[in-house]
Amino acid sequence: MIIASTSTIYGGKYLEYLLPTLKSFFKEAKTILFIPYARPSGITYDTYTAIAQEAFGSIGIDVKGIHEFKNAKEAIKNAEGIFTGGGNTFELVNQLYKNDVLETLKEVLEQGTPYLGTSAGSNICGVNMKNTNDMPIVYPPSFKTLGCISFNINAHYLDPIEGNTHMGETRETRIKEFHAFNETPVLGLREGSWLEVNANNISLKGNYTARLFEKDKKPVELELGKIAII
Amino acid sequence: MIIASTSTIYGGKYLEYLLPTLKSFFKEAKTILFIPYARPSGITYDTYTAIAQEAFGSIGIDVKGIHEFKNAKEAIKNAEGIFTGGGNTFELVNQLYKNDVLETLKEVLEQGTPYLGTSAGSNICGVNMKNTNDMPIVYPPSFKTLGCISFNINAHYLDPIEGNTHMGETRETRIKEFHAFNETPVLGLREGSWLEVNANNISLKGNYTARLFEKDKKPVELELGKIAII
């Protein structure tokens, strides 16, 4: 699995910074299945799938949206690779439940189907979606997600901005609030960084260290390379 | 009702900028009931109530936390005034449901009990909590809230920051996503502004215009003074 903080880094095109990695990661796949449920800015599944197609097309891979299949579960089972794009995590999780594909997705990922998640598509790899930054624009049946990793992801992790006069909570404050009610560790992944997960081996790749938050502990910075989170 | 974007403005003390307004608004009240359920940074109900007491004490008003009463519903019915503080909207709404006080609170507010909400305490005045900026650290039984006004509040409304290189969605993008799935108008209230609601009259007060978002319409800035939102 590749679990990326963001699809797009500042000044770059969609998925551009990840393409060299994706070319080798999806080398066995001619076509990958795209899950467009998160609908960034409310765009349609077709529009979103075309955006994914444009990026993957440039490395010779075809993209087919899960909505183009009559049977979504079969589509997941038969996929050579899967990509869940970012957008709104609440709507993504809502649709994973409504289409009843969460368990199937977990099964194929555990059996080794290569998976790319960006942003909301990365949040769902964790135990639950309780560390999303998104607005709760729809009410999903549950916040429980794939649990393919033993911790949660905070995508687009943002360091406090010095001299900021806005009184809304910093990301760190929000994650501390989470730990007043929950035990699950949270990894703050900065834009431009991603995780590569292979069975129980997890490596941090990309441009930045990541910030690990554990209940009742001081946050720590994890260096690039192999990481261990219990 | 006073529905404020924030409890605290940059450089000020807790509730300080609102105290002159609150002194006249709560002039009939010797004691107000405080709802500390939102627990900012996970602080205890007692600690949070002490913070509210310190601010209200300076204008000669006593504060009692709802958790100090055996019967929360009775406490709400008998209150001379009510204040719901900010923090995490998910946990606030969760506790309003768990303590089964949402309906009672709505009833007394409609009967005219003076109410102050700040941040999360303002979000709950709207139709639902789907425009909170908070992290979903707990799963409430529903997102439905008081509906004392016919629209939703986005507290701590933040304009897009020019030259920002972070790729997370702007507040405006998030609210547009909301309108891909919902009809309810949303009022973005900037820190330092608040609404005064008296039956069907609503006035915008404080330092800034507010930004009104309606489905399929261009957002508009509402000037200070009486406002009309259908």
Side-chain angles (χ1 to χ4, degrees), chain B residues 130-168:
Chain B
K130 290 182 180 175
N131 298 102
T132 178
N133 313 307
D134 295 337
M135 201 172 254
I137 58 174
V138 298
Y139 184 72
S142 166
F143 285 167
K144 190 168 173 281
T145 51
L146 293 167
C148 289
I149 49 178
S150 61
F151 51 96
N152 280 352
I153 297 290
N154 178 251
H156 302 278
Y157 182 74
L158 198 56
D159 294 290
I161 299 160
E162 253 186 82
N164 192 2
T165 60
H166 188 72
M167 302 299 287

mmCIF file of all heavy atoms in Angstrom, chain B residues 130-168:
data_model
loop_
_atom_site.group_PDB
_atom_site.id
_atom_site.type_symbol
_atom_site.label_atom_id
_atom_site.label_comp_id
_atom_site.label_asym_id
_atom_site.label_seq_id
_atom_site.Cartn_x
_atom_site.Cartn_y
_atom_site.Cartn_z
ATOM 1 N N LYS B 130 -23.191 20.118 10.491
ATOM 2 C CA LYS B 130 -22.404 19.689 9.336
ATOM 3 C C LYS B 130 -21.411 20.735 8.829
ATOM 4 O O LYS B 130 -20.723 20.492 7.847
ATOM 5 C CB LYS B 130 -23.340 19.255 8.195
ATOM 6 C CG LYS B 130 -24.078 17.958 8.492
ATOM 7 C CD LYS B 130 -24.952 17.544 7.315
ATOM 8 C CE LYS B 130 -25.687 16.254 7.616
ATOM 9 N NZ LYS B 130 -26.628 15.915 6.518
ATOM 10 N N ASN B 131 -21.385 21.917 9.461
ATOM 11 C CA ASN B 131 -20.404 22.918 9.051
ATOM 12 C C ASN B 131 -19.383 23.238 10.129
ATOM 13 O O ASN B 131 -18.713 24.269 10.071
ATOM 14 C CB ASN B 131 -21.104 24.189 8.566
ATOM 15 C CG ASN B 131 -21.950 23.901 7.352
ATOM 16 O OD1 ASN B 131 -23.165 23.790 7.445
ATOM 17 N ND2 ASN B 131 -21.308 23.706 6.219
ATOM 18 N N THR B 132 -19.255 22.356 11.092
ATOM 19 C CA THR B 132 -18.171 22.520 12.077
ATOM 20 C C THR B 132 -16.824 22.320 11.407
ATOM 21 O O THR B 132 -16.710 21.589 10.429
ATOM 22 C CB THR B 132 -18.325 21.511 13.234
ATOM 23 O OG1 THR B 132 -17.211 21.690 14.134
ATOM 24 C CG2 THR B 132 -18.323 20.077 12.771
ATOM 25 N N ASN B 133 -15.801 22.956 11.988
ATOM 26 C CA ASN B 133 -14.419 22.739 11.530
ATOM 27 C C ASN B 133 -13.719 21.685 12.372
ATOM 28 O O ASN B 133 -12.546 21.413 12.165
ATOM 29 C CB ASN B 133 -13.613 24.042 11.677
ATOM 30 C CG ASN B 133 -14.356 25.225 11.129
ATOM 31 O OD1 ASN B 133 -14.802 25.207 9.990
ATOM 32 N ND2 ASN B 133 -14.529 26.267 11.934
ATOM 33 N N ASP B 134 -14.422 21.121 13.339
ATOM 34 C CA ASP B 134 -13.752 20.280 14.332
ATOM 35 C C ASP B 134 -13.454 18.886 13.808
ATOM 36 O O ASP B 134 -13.991 18.448 12.806
ATOM 37 C CB ASP B 134 -14.605 20.196 15.601
ATOM 38 C CG ASP B 134 -14.714 21.551 16.268
ATOM 39 O OD1 ASP B 134 -13.826 22.392 16.032
ATOM 40 O OD2 ASP B 134 -15.685 21.783 17.004
ATOM 41 N N MET B 135 -12.576 18.219 14.551
ATOM 42 C CA MET B 135 -12.171 16.871 14.202
ATOM 43 C C MET B 135 -13.189 15.891 14.792
ATOM 44 O O MET B 135 -13.613 16.070 15.941
ATOM 45 C CB MET B 135 -10.771 16.630 14.776
ATOM 46 C CG MET B 135 -10.004 15.525 14.130
ATOM 47 S SD MET B 135 -8.283 15.480 14.722
ATOM 48 C CE MET B 135 -7.417 16.140 13.294
ATOM 49 N N PRO B 136 -13.584 14.856 14.026
ATOM 50 C CA PRO B 136 -14.641 13.938 14.495
ATOM 51 C C PRO B 136 -14.118 12.903 15.488
ATOM 52 O O PRO B 136 -14.140 11.706 15.217
ATOM 53 C CB PRO B 136 -15.118 13.297 13.190
ATOM 54 C CG PRO B 136 -13.899 13.286 12.310
ATOM 55 C CD PRO B 136 -13.155 14.560 12.641
ATOM 56 N N ILE B 137 -13.694 13.374 16.649
ATOM 57 C CA ILE B 137 -13.002 12.518 17.629
ATOM 58 C C ILE B 137 -13.941 11.544 18.327
ATOM 59 O O ILE B 137 -13.499 10.581 18.936
ATOM 60 C CB ILE B 137 -12.235 13.373 18.654
ATOM 61 C CG1 ILE B 137 -13.185 14.332 19.400
ATOM 62 C CG2 ILE B 137 -11.148 14.181 17.960
ATOM 63 C CD1 ILE B 137 -12.513 15.117 20.528
ATOM 64 N N VAL B 138 -15.229 11.793 18.265
ATOM 65 C CA VAL B 138 -16.240 10.844 18.766
ATOM 66 C C VAL B 138 -17.386 10.809 17.749
ATOM 67 O O VAL B 138 -17.553 11.736 16.957
ATOM 68 C CB VAL B 138 -16.801 11.232 20.157
ATOM 69 C CG1 VAL B 138 -15.699 11.226 21.221
ATOM 70 C CG2 VAL B 138 -17.472 12.590 20.107
ATOM 71 N N TYR B 139 -18.163 9.730 17.788
ATOM 72 C CA TYR B 139 -19.268 9.531 16.828
ATOM 73 C C TYR B 139 -20.596 9.814 17.522
ATOM 74 O O TYR B 139 -21.080 8.987 18.283
ATOM 75 C CB TYR B 139 -19.227 8.090 16.324
ATOM 76 C CG TYR B 139 -20.251 7.756 15.255
ATOM 77 C CD1 TYR B 139 -20.119 8.242 13.958
ATOM 78 C CD2 TYR B 139 -21.340 6.933 15.538
ATOM 79 C CE1 TYR B 139 -21.034 7.923 12.977
ATOM 80 C CE2 TYR B 139 -22.268 6.614 14.545
ATOM 81 C CZ TYR B 139 -22.105 7.110 13.269
ATOM 82 O OH TYR B 139 -23.022 6.795 12.297
ATOM 83 N N PRO B 140 -21.187 10.980 17.289
ATOM 84 C CA PRO B 140 -22.469 11.274 17.951
ATOM 85 C C PRO B 140 -23.623 10.512 17.291
ATOM 86 O O PRO B 140 -23.505 10.101 16.136
ATOM 87 C CB PRO B 140 -22.627 12.785 17.753
ATOM 88 C CG PRO B 140 -21.791 13.128 16.567
ATOM 89 C CD PRO B 140 -20.737 12.065 16.402
ATOM 90 N N PRO B 141 -24.723 10.313 18.018
ATOM 91 C CA PRO B 141 -25.862 9.555 17.465
ATOM 92 C C PRO B 141 -26.491 10.219 16.239
ATOM 93 O O PRO B 141 -27.199 9.561 15.477
ATOM 94 C CB PRO B 141 -26.878 9.533 18.604
ATOM 95 C CG PRO B 141 -26.118 9.894 19.825
ATOM 96 C CD PRO B 141 -24.958 10.727 19.406
ATOM 97 N N SER B 142 -26.282 11.506 16.061
ATOM 98 C CA SER B 142 -26.861 12.233 14.937
ATOM 99 C C SER B 142 -26.094 13.545 14.781
ATOM 100 O O SER B 142 -25.442 13.998 15.727
ATOM 101 C CB SER B 142 -28.340 12.518 15.218
ATOM 102 O OG SER B 142 -28.857 13.478 14.321
ATOM 103 N N PHE B 143 -26.177 14.148 13.595
ATOM 104 C CA PHE B 143 -25.595 15.477 13.403
ATOM 105 C C PHE B 143 -26.654 16.576 13.577
ATOM 106 O O PHE B 143 -26.352 17.758 13.478
ATOM 107 C CB PHE B 143 -24.969 15.602 12.003
ATOM 108 C CG PHE B 143 -23.647 14.887 11.813
ATOM 109 C CD1 PHE B 143 -23.127 14.698 10.535
ATOM 110 C CD2 PHE B 143 -22.903 14.434 12.908
ATOM 111 C CE1 PHE B 143 -21.895 14.063 10.345
ATOM 112 C CE2 PHE B 143 -21.675 13.791 12.727
ATOM 113 C CZ PHE B 143 -21.171 13.612 11.435
ATOM 114 N N LYS B 144 -27.905 16.175 13.800
ATOM 115 C CA LYS B 144 -28.999 17.156 13.925
ATOM 116 C C LYS B 144 -28.810 17.966 15.206
ATOM 117 O O LYS B 144 -28.499 17.422 16.262
ATOM 118 C CB LYS B 144 -30.328 16.407 13.967
ATOM 119 C CG LYS B 144 -31.549 17.277 13.867
ATOM 120 C CD LYS B 144 -32.794 16.411 13.613
ATOM 121 C CE LYS B 144 -34.054 17.251 13.668
ATOM 122 N NZ LYS B 144 -34.493 17.546 15.048
ATOM 123 N N THR B 145 -29.012 19.268 15.117
ATOM 124 C CA THR B 145 -28.827 20.121 16.294
ATOM 125 C C THR B 145 -30.100 20.922 16.588
ATOM 126 O O THR B 145 -31.201 20.491 16.214
ATOM 127 C CB THR B 145 -27.578 21.005 16.125
ATOM 128 O OG1 THR B 145 -27.638 21.667 14.857
ATOM 129 C CG2 THR B 145 -26.308 20.153 16.195
ATOM 130 N N LEU B 146 -29.976 22.077 17.236
ATOM 131 C CA LEU B 146 -31.159 22.760 17.776
ATOM 132 C C LEU B 146 -32.118 23.291 16.703
ATOM 133 O O LEU B 146 -33.336 23.273 16.910
ATOM 134 C CB LEU B 146 -30.720 23.925 18.674
ATOM 135 C CG LEU B 146 -30.009 23.518 19.977
ATOM 136 C CD1 LEU B 146 -29.349 24.750 20.612
ATOM 137 C CD2 LEU B 146 -31.012 22.893 20.956
ATOM 138 N N GLY B 147 -31.574 23.806 15.623
ATOM 139 C CA GLY B 147 -32.446 24.402 14.615
ATOM 140 C C GLY B 147 -33.190 25.629 15.116
ATOM 141 O O GLY B 147 -34.319 25.883 14.707
ATOM 142 N N CYS B 148 -32.580 26.399 15.999
ATOM 143 C CA CYS B 148 -33.203 27.650 16.467
ATOM 144 C C CYS B 148 -33.089 28.745 15.418
ATOM 145 O O CYS B 148 -33.776 29.758 15.481
ATOM 146 C CB CYS B 148 -32.546 28.111 17.764
ATOM 147 S SG CYS B 148 -32.961 27.051 19.154
ATOM 148 N N ILE B 149 -32.188 28.569 14.479
ATOM 149 C CA ILE B 149 -32.123 29.429 13.300
ATOM 150 C C ILE B 149 -32.248 28.512 12.088
ATOM 151 O O ILE B 149 -32.036 27.306 12.192
ATOM 152 C CB ILE B 149 -30.806 30.253 13.237
ATOM 153 C CG1 ILE B 149 -29.584 29.352 13.471
ATOM 154 C CG2 ILE B 149 -30.821 31.377 14.279
ATOM 155 C CD1 ILE B 149 -28.243 30.054 13.384
ATOM 156 N N SER B 150 -32.618 29.097 10.955
ATOM 157 C CA SER B 150 -32.963 28.274 9.791
ATOM 158 C C SER B 150 -31.761 27.950 8.916
ATOM 159 O O SER B 150 -31.903 27.406 7.827
ATOM 160 C CB SER B 150 -34.000 29.023 8.949
ATOM 161 O OG SER B 150 -33.430 30.244 8.501
ATOM 162 N N PHE B 151 -30.590 28.350 9.384
ATOM 163 C CA PHE B 151 -29.375 28.127 8.596
ATOM 164 C C PHE B 151 -28.305 27.538 9.508
ATOM 165 O O PHE B 151 -28.534 27.366 10.711
ATOM 166 C CB PHE B 151 -28.907 29.449 7.958
ATOM 167 C CG PHE B 151 -28.790 30.595 8.926
ATOM 168 C CD1 PHE B 151 -27.575 30.919 9.516
ATOM 169 C CD2 PHE B 151 -29.908 31.367 9.265
ATOM 170 C CE1 PHE B 151 -27.466 31.968 10.417
ATOM 171 C CE2 PHE B 151 -29.807 32.430 10.166
ATOM 172 C CZ PHE B 151 -28.583 32.725 10.754
ATOM 173 N N ASN B 152 -27.146 27.213 8.932
ATOM 174 C CA ASN B 152 -26.034 26.705 9.729
ATOM 175 C C ASN B 152 -24.989 27.788 9.929
ATOM 176 O O ASN B 152 -24.884 28.720 9.132
ATOM 177 C CB ASN B 152 -25.386 25.498 9.042
ATOM 178 C CG ASN B 152 -26.167 24.219 9.268
ATOM 179 O OD1 ASN B 152 -27.118 24.195 10.049
ATOM 180 N ND2 ASN B 152 -25.775 23.160 8.574
ATOM 181 N N ILE B 153 -24.197 27.586 10.997
ATOM 182 C CA ILE B 153 -23.104 28.508 11.300
ATOM 183 C C ILE B 153 -21.781 27.834 10.956
ATOM 184 O O ILE B 153 -21.563 26.673 11.292
ATOM 185 C CB ILE B 153 -23.103 28.851 12.811
ATOM 186 C CG1 ILE B 153 -24.391 29.579 13.218
ATOM 187 C CG2 ILE B 153 -21.858 29.656 13.203
ATOM 188 C CD1 ILE B 153 -24.516 30.985 12.689
ATOM 189 N N ASN B 154 -20.920 28.542 10.261
ATOM 190 C CA ASN B 154 -19.521 28.132 10.237
ATOM 191 C C ASN B 154 -18.753 29.126 11.106
ATOM 192 O O ASN B 154 -18.528 30.275 10.724
ATOM 193 C CB ASN B 154 -18.951 28.091 8.817
ATOM 194 C CG ASN B 154 -17.477 27.696 8.823
ATOM 195 O OD1 ASN B 154 -16.601 28.498 8.556
ATOM 196 N ND2 ASN B 154 -17.191 26.462 9.177
ATOM 197 N N ALA B 155 -18.411 28.666 12.316
ATOM 198 C CA ALA B 155 -17.690 29.510 13.264
ATOM 199 C C ALA B 155 -16.231 29.642 12.837
ATOM 200 O O ALA B 155 -15.746 28.849 12.029
ATOM 201 C CB ALA B 155 -17.783 28.904 14.655
ATOM 202 N N HIS B 156 -15.546 30.639 13.375
ATOM 203 C CA HIS B 156 -14.129 30.887 13.041
ATOM 204 C C HIS B 156 -13.947 30.955 11.525
ATOM 205 O O HIS B 156 -12.945 30.456 11.008
ATOM 206 C CB HIS B 156 -13.215 29.769 13.592
ATOM 207 C CG HIS B 156 -13.287 29.565 15.060
ATOM 208 N ND1 HIS B 156 -12.602 30.330 15.969
ATOM 209 C CD2 HIS B 156 -13.985 28.659 15.812
ATOM 210 C CE1 HIS B 156 -12.853 29.909 17.200
ATOM 211 N NE2 HIS B 156 -13.692 28.896 17.131
ATOM 212 N N TYR B 157 -14.920 31.547 10.844
ATOM 213 C CA TYR B 157 -14.801 31.572 9.367
ATOM 214 C C TYR B 157 -13.485 32.238 8.971
ATOM 215 O O TYR B 157 -13.093 33.268 9.520
ATOM 216 C CB TYR B 157 -15.976 32.301 8.706
ATOM 217 C CG TYR B 157 -15.808 32.255 7.204
ATOM 218 C CD1 TYR B 157 -16.050 31.080 6.512
ATOM 219 C CD2 TYR B 157 -15.308 33.352 6.496
ATOM 220 C CE1 TYR B 157 -15.822 30.998 5.143
ATOM 221 C CE2 TYR B 157 -15.070 33.282 5.131
ATOM 222 C CZ TYR B 157 -15.346 32.092 4.472
ATOM 223 O OH TYR B 157 -15.096 32.005 3.117
ATOM 224 N N LEU B 158 -12.836 31.639 8.007
ATOM 225 C CA LEU B 158 -11.486 32.051 7.618
ATOM 226 C C LEU B 158 -11.459 32.281 6.122
ATOM 227 O O LEU B 158 -11.827 31.397 5.348
ATOM 228 C CB LEU B 158 -10.536 30.904 7.988
ATOM 229 C CG LEU B 158 -9.052 31.189 8.090
ATOM 230 C CD1 LEU B 158 -8.760 32.301 9.078
ATOM 231 C CD2 LEU B 158 -8.331 29.910 8.533
ATOM 232 N N ASP B 159 -11.028 33.463 5.712
ATOM 233 C CA ASP B 159 -10.890 33.737 4.283
ATOM 234 C C ASP B 159 -9.681 32.988 3.735
ATOM 235 O O ASP B 159 -8.731 32.715 4.471
ATOM 236 C CB ASP B 159 -10.726 35.247 4.079
ATOM 237 C CG ASP B 159 -11.989 35.996 4.482
ATOM 238 O OD1 ASP B 159 -12.994 35.856 3.761
ATOM 239 O OD2 ASP B 159 -11.990 36.682 5.514
ATOM 240 N N PRO B 160 -9.709 32.654 2.449
ATOM 241 C CA PRO B 160 -8.531 32.003 1.852
ATOM 242 C C PRO B 160 -7.311 32.897 2.061
ATOM 243 O O PRO B 160 -7.405 34.124 1.990
ATOM 244 C CB PRO B 160 -8.891 31.909 0.368
ATOM 245 C CG PRO B 160 -10.378 32.023 0.303
ATOM 246 C CD PRO B 160 -10.776 32.884 1.463
ATOM 247 N N ILE B 161 -6.171 32.287 2.356
ATOM 248 C CA ILE B 161 -4.949 33.051 2.613
ATOM 249 C C ILE B 161 -4.154 33.130 1.320
ATOM 250 O O ILE B 161 -3.743 32.116 0.759
ATOM 251 C CB ILE B 161 -4.121 32.376 3.728
ATOM 252 C CG1 ILE B 161 -4.943 32.339 5.019
ATOM 253 C CG2 ILE B 161 -2.803 33.109 3.943
ATOM 254 C CD1 ILE B 161 -4.463 31.297 6.022
ATOM 255 N N GLU B 162 -3.959 34.339 0.839
ATOM 256 C CA GLU B 162 -3.218 34.536 -0.421
ATOM 257 C C GLU B 162 -1.808 33.987 -0.316
ATOM 258 O O GLU B 162 -1.121 34.210 0.687
ATOM 259 C CB GLU B 162 -3.141 36.023 -0.734
ATOM 260 C CG GLU B 162 -4.057 36.419 -1.885
ATOM 261 C CD GLU B 162 -3.856 37.877 -2.258
ATOM 262 O OE1 GLU B 162 -2.906 38.142 -2.992
ATOM 263 O OE2 GLU B 162 -4.666 38.702 -1.800
ATOM 264 N N GLY B 163 -1.393 33.279 -1.339
ATOM 265 C CA GLY B 163 -0.017 32.780 -1.366
ATOM 266 C C GLY B 163 0.207 31.548 -0.509
ATOM 267 O O GLY B 163 1.329 31.083 -0.369
ATOM 268 N N ASN B 164 -0.879 31.015 0.084
ATOM 269 C CA ASN B 164 -0.761 29.807 0.902
ATOM 270 C C ASN B 164 -0.359 28.628 0.022
ATOM 271 O O ASN B 164 -0.937 28.407 -1.033
ATOM 272 C CB ASN B 164 -2.117 29.519 1.562
ATOM 273 C CG ASN B 164 -2.012 28.469 2.653
ATOM 274 O OD1 ASN B 164 -0.926 27.976 2.953
ATOM 275 N ND2 ASN B 164 -3.139 28.125 3.232
ATOM 276 N N THR B 165 0.631 27.864 0.462
ATOM 277 C CA THR B 165 1.093 26.728 -0.346
ATOM 278 C C THR B 165 0.509 25.399 0.137
ATOM 279 O O THR B 165 0.778 24.352 -0.444
ATOM 280 C CB THR B 165 2.636 26.619 -0.302
ATOM 281 O OG1 THR B 165 3.036 26.419 1.060
ATOM 282 C CG2 THR B 165 3.293 27.875 -0.840
ATOM 283 N N HIS B 166 -0.285 25.439 1.224
ATOM 284 C CA HIS B 166 -0.898 24.207 1.738
ATOM 285 C C HIS B 166 -2.032 23.794 0.807
ATOM 286 O O HIS B 166 -2.808 24.631 0.357
ATOM 287 C CB HIS B 166 -1.427 24.461 3.152
ATOM 288 C CG HIS B 166 -1.896 23.216 3.841
ATOM 289 N ND1 HIS B 166 -1.026 22.252 4.288
ATOM 290 C CD2 HIS B 166 -3.139 22.780 4.163
ATOM 291 C CE1 HIS B 166 -1.723 21.267 4.855
ATOM 292 N NE2 HIS B 166 -3.012 21.581 4.784
ATOM 293 N N MET B 167 -2.138 22.484 0.535
ATOM 294 C CA MET B 167 -3.112 22.025 -0.442
ATOM 295 C C MET B 167 -4.429 21.556 0.181
ATOM 296 O O MET B 167 -5.318 21.104 -0.527
ATOM 297 C CB MET B 167 -2.505 20.905 -1.292
ATOM 298 C CG MET B 167 -1.225 21.310 -2.031
ATOM 299 S SD MET B 167 -1.455 22.675 -3.205
ATOM 300 C CE MET B 167 -2.341 21.815 -4.513
ATOM 301 N N GLY B 168 -4.543 21.596 1.509
ATOM 302 C CA GLY B 168 -5.826 21.282 2.136
ATOM 303 C C GLY B 168 -6.882 22.263 1.643
ATOM 304 O O GLY B 168 -6.569 23.389 1.241
#
